[in-house]
Amino acid sequence: MRHLLLFLVLGATLAPGTRPERVKYLEVSENARPGTRVGFIDAENPPYLIVSVPGSSVEADLIVDQATGEIKTRVPLDRETRPSYSLVALPQSLRVVVKVLDENDNAPTFPVDHVDVEFPENSPRDAKRALPPAKDPDLGQYSTQRYDIVSGNYGDVFRLAQHRGRDGVLYLDLQNSGLLDREARSHYHLVIEALDGGTPPLRSRLHVNVTVQDVNDNPPIFNQTSYVSSVPENATVGTLVLAVNATDADAGENGRIEYSINRRQSDREELFRIDPETGTVYVNKALDFESKDRHDLAIVARDRGAQPLEATAFLSVHVTNVNDNQPAITVNFLSNDKTPTVIESAQPGEFIARIVVSDPDSKNDSQAKVTLSGGDGQFVLTTQDNIVFLVVIERPLDREEKSIYDLTVEATDTGVPPLKAVRTFRVIITDVNDNAPKFQQERYEAHLLEASEPGTSVLQVAASDPDEGRNSAIRFFLENTTWFAIDETTGLITTVTHVDCEADPAPVLVVIASDSGCPALSSSATVRVTVHDLNDNEPIFEKPLYNTTVPEDMPVGRCFLKVGLREYVISSTRLRCENVRKWRPHREGAFFGRVKR
């Protein structure tokens, strides 16, 4: 019905002879608070009949007072959603247009967060890559105004080109402002900001991943300009000679290297071959030192780019003569019986063996390196002509410390490769009688009963001698005793007669241990024998006859005579080996009698 009324009203106003329509323009900023006054219709004769233009949302967003003609905002307005409102005031036929003024309430916005672009490293200066532009629904200076690279532009090799299109969008291109080098840097991560003209400006960011694409602009480079190697003339086919190495800073096929031998310049006989992938050179045919002792190879390293680049290095292979005879070692012992024995009393500087080293390869027979090992520093080698060597005693020998030495002579010639011969022999140190027997104890203690029978075992002594053979055979002897005897082999001491404690209660024996060397060596030890006393002496009265008188009135039980007994005893001191005899009262007796009245 309202639309019909508007149609009728508009039709009436446009009818012939009617007053022409007037237009009034009002303005209000977007985002103004609800209730903000926009203006007045300001017609001649209010009140008004307000008719909104279809689709202008006047009633939803604006408040129009029909009595006064005042227009206010009902809600916050958004220019980007609706830039203007239109209504008609009747019967004056006044059309009112409310224009919403723009504010900077929208930041420029990129359609994506990040993009990936590529530049060949040989791109000419100012090569372009289009980037998605940032769009801003605001108008004029509040729209997108500029772009900046805020990070990631190492070396300032990129810059931005921007231009405004007919549609008002500020378009963006990424350009290279300098030479790109993938080998120096293959990736860039640029952060680009879009800014509008507000104060302060609103902004948004775009992340650009730039990949620098490789081109074949680097030739292979060998790690050496020339190589030298050697190989024996008897090397079999397939023997490794040397591995060359080249690198290429390019990527992919541009950096993949293939090795070859330039047959036009070298090795036309194909005596060698090279692995195209690893650069390892091998023997391909039998070599002959006498025919040619040096081969110079031109090694080519070529990449696999569309237009391949290459480099050349030279390899000199020296063919060496084969040393196929090892040195010969002859050992002659200088003892009287030509056996590998040395008496332990031999002095430093004495010779014990002569060693002759020879090499069937006549050119090198006098250049062999000869060493001696295994002697614990007791023996050394000496020579004057590098042919005859003498084994010399370096330090005093001691058979008791070590009696056998295993010596090894090693002779290495100077051939290529060197050959080595090894000869091992054993040196035996013979004994001299330089050690006297040694008792297990210097002093022994033994105990014996006075009543022991002849042949009674008293004590067994023991001694040892580190020498060997007759030099270590020990015999035992006793000095200055008639009571005791010793087994010269076992060292067992026994009695040969009865011992008398009263004559010597603690006899001290001296035992001698002597070896069978020539001259013989001996040592001694002492044995102290304590003889325990036997009660073999009867008591004796002090007097053979006692006389006494007794008064007749002596009381019963009174002592009238004392008699004494003496006994022969032995005592000895602990600190001195001497005997002391003395008499002492053994016990006393008393005679008692009864006196009868």
Side-chain angles (χ1 to χ4, degrees):
M1 179 62 73
R2 180 173 298 175
H3 292 168
L4 178 61
L5 178 60
L6 177 61
F7 174 76
L8 293 176
V9 170
L10 291 177
T13 58
L14 296 177
T18 61
R19 188 168 45 181
E21 180 186 47
R22 294 176 298 159
V23 179
K24 182 174 183 178
Y25 293 95
L26 299 176
E27 295 179 344
V28 63
S29 296
E30 66 175 330
N31 298 321
R33 292 187 299 175
T36 298
R37 177 183 292 172
V38 178
F40 290 88
I41 296 176
D42 196 21
E44 297 176 355
N45 298 309
Y48 309 97
L49 175 61
I50 304 300
V51 179
S52 61
V53 176
S56 65
S57 301
V58 172
E59 294 180 356
D61 298 344
L62 301 177
I63 301 174
V64 181
D65 190 331
Q66 296 186 10
T68 63
E70 182 181 19
I71 301 175
K72 296 182 180 179
T73 60
R74 185 185 299 274
V75 296
L77 305 181
D78 183 8
R79 189 204 66 80
E80 289 73 36
T81 302
R82 187 173 296 280
S84 65
Y85 297 87
S86 181
L87 57 88
V88 177
L90 297 177
Q92 292 84 359
S93 297
L94 177 65
R95 185 161 65 92
V96 179
V97 177
V98 179
K99 182 180 180 181
V100 181
L101 301 179
D102 187 37
E103 289 187 359
N104 191 24
D105 59 348
N106 291 281
T109 304
F110 288 99
V112 292
D113 292 333
H114 69 276
V115 294
D116 298 324
V117 297
E118 296 177 342
F119 282 86
E121 64 176 325
N122 63 346
S123 298
R125 186 182 182 90
D126 295 332
K128 293 182 180 181
R129 295 292 183 271
L131 300 179
K135 296 182 180 181
D136 192 330
D138 294 328
L139 298 177
Q141 67 175 358
Y142 296 146
S143 65
T144 304
Q145 298 298 310
R146 74 177 192 273
Y147 297 99
D148 293 327
I149 300 177
V150 297
S151 68
N153 192 14
Y154 297 102
D156 295 328
V157 296
F158 296 102
R159 63 184 180 87
L160 300 176
Q162 41 198 317
H163 63 279
R164 185 78 63 181
R166 293 182 180 181
D167 55 359
V169 176
L170 186 63
Y171 288 94
L172 174 65
D173 292 319
L174 180 65
Q175 293 180 309
N176 63 317
S177 57
L179 296 177
L180 299 176
D181 186 358
R182 188 204 66 83
E183 290 70 41
R185 181 176 290 275
S186 60
H187 291 86
Y188 294 84
H189 180 75
L190 306 180
V191 178
I192 298 177
E193 276 190 348
L195 300 91
D196 61 20
T199 305
L202 301 180
R203 64 193 69 197
S204 64
R205 288 188 170 185
L206 173 67
H207 295 268
V208 181
N209 296 315
V210 181
T211 300
V212 181
Q213 296 173 308
D214 184 53
V215 295
N216 193 22
D217 58 348
N218 291 279
I221 298 176
F222 282 95
N223 61 349
Q224 298 175 216
T225 57
S226 62
Y227 299 84
V228 177
S229 183
S230 61
V231 62
E233 63 174 329
N234 63 346
T236 58
V237 173
T239 299
L240 186 148
V241 178
L242 185 73
V244 299
N245 182 57
T247 56
D248 192 320
D250 292 323
E253 290 297 302
N254 295 331
R256 187 176 175 186
I257 297 175
E258 185 177 68
Y259 298 94
S260 62
I261 298 175
N262 189 334
R263 302 293 182 185
R264 291 180 299 175
Q265 294 184 8
S266 62
D267 193 32
R268 295 181 180 180
E269 302 86 356
E270 298 186 3
L271 297 176
F272 302 91
R273 66 177 179 85
I274 188 170
D275 188 306
E277 297 292 334
T278 64
T280 304
V281 179
Y282 299 93
V283 174
N284 194 45
K285 294 181 180 179
L287 304 176
D288 185 8
F289 171 82
E290 288 70 28
S291 298
K292 190 174 184 179
D293 63 354
R294 174 177 170 176
H295 299 270
D296 293 317
L297 308 181
I299 307 297
V300 178
R302 180 182 294 107
D303 63 30
R304 299 189 179 183
Q307 296 180 344
L309 302 177
E310 65 182 35
T312 300
F314 294 94
L315 168 61
S316 293
V317 181
H318 295 271
V319 180
T320 59
N321 195 13
V322 174
N323 181 32
D324 54 357
N325 292 285
Q326 67 180 17
I329 301 174
T330 304
V331 180
N332 297 313
F333 298 103
L334 303 180
S335 60
N336 293 333
D337 55 0
K338 306 301 181 181
T339 61
T341 57
V342 180
I343 191 168
E344 67 174 320
S345 60
Q347 297 300 307
E350 294 187 20
F351 305 139
I352 68 168
R354 182 178 63 185
I355 298 175
V356 178
V357 177
S358 60
D359 192 337
D361 296 325
S362 59
K363 291 193 300 182
N364 300 322
D365 60 353
S366 62
Q367 301 300 319
K369 179 182 178 181
V370 182
T371 60
L372 178 69
S373 61
D376 298 336
Q378 298 292 120
F379 307 94
V380 295
L381 276 181
T382 181
T383 184
Q384 293 182 349
D385 55 10
N386 213 47
I387 299 175
V388 177
F389 296 82
L390 295 174
V391 180
V392 184
I393 299 174
E394 176 72 6
R395 297 185 300 186
L397 303 173
D398 186 355
R399 189 207 62 82
E400 288 71 38
E401 181 178 338
K402 188 170 184 179
S403 61
I404 296 176
Y405 292 89
D406 290 319
L407 304 182
T408 299
V409 176
E410 182 177 295
T412 306
D413 63 23
T414 57
V416 179
L419 297 180
K420 178 174 63 176
V422 178
R423 173 73 183 275
T424 299
F425 57 93
R426 174 167 291 183
V427 176
I428 300 173
I429 310 302
T430 59
D431 187 46
V432 295
N433 192 24
D434 55 352
N435 292 279
K438 184 177 180 180
F439 283 94
Q440 292 180 351
Q441 300 175 218
E442 292 183 0
R443 295 180 179 84
Y444 293 85
E445 293 284 342
H447 297 270
L448 183 65
L449 294 176
E450 184 180 23
S452 299
E453 293 295 328
T456 300
S457 297
V458 179
L459 180 71
Q460 186 172 14
V461 297
S464 59
D465 191 323
D467 292 324
E468 67 176 356
R470 292 183 55 83
N471 296 332
S472 64
I474 300 175
R475 295 180 298 164
F476 297 96
F477 305 94
L478 287 178
E479 289 185 347
N480 301 325
T481 179
T482 57
W483 289 353
F484 303 95
I486 188 170
D487 188 298
E488 68 174 14
T489 301
T490 65
L492 178 63
I493 300 174
T494 58
T495 59
V496 296
T497 184
H498 289 285
V499 298
D500 187 357
C501 177
E502 287 72 26
D504 190 350
V508 177
L509 309 180
V510 177
V511 182
I512 304 299
S514 176
D515 60 28
S516 301
C518 184
L521 301 179
S522 63
S523 62
S524 63
T526 59
V527 179
R528 185 177 184 275
V529 182
T530 300
V531 181
H532 294 277
D533 184 31
L534 179 65
N535 190 16
D536 56 355
N537 292 285
E538 296 178 351
I540 303 174
F541 282 101
E542 290 181 347
K543 298 179 180 181
L545 177 64
Y546 293 87
N547 293 315
T548 186
T549 58
V550 178
E552 63 177 340
D553 57 352
M554 179 177 291
V556 175
R558 177 172 295 181
C559 176
F560 61 86
L561 178 64
K562 285 185 179 180
V563 297
L565 296 177
R566 292 189 180 275
E567 182 181 359
Y568 185 73
V569 298
I570 305 295
S571 66
S572 63
T573 65
R574 293 183 179 177
L575 299 179
R576 295 176 300 168
C577 297
E578 60 180 340
N579 298 327
V580 179
R581 295 185 180 181
K582 69 177 182 178
W583 291 92
R584 65 173 177 81
H586 181 66
R587 60 178 178 269
E588 294 182 347
F591 293 93
F592 297 91
R594 291 182 179 274
V595 180
K596 295 184 180 179
R597 300 182 186 278

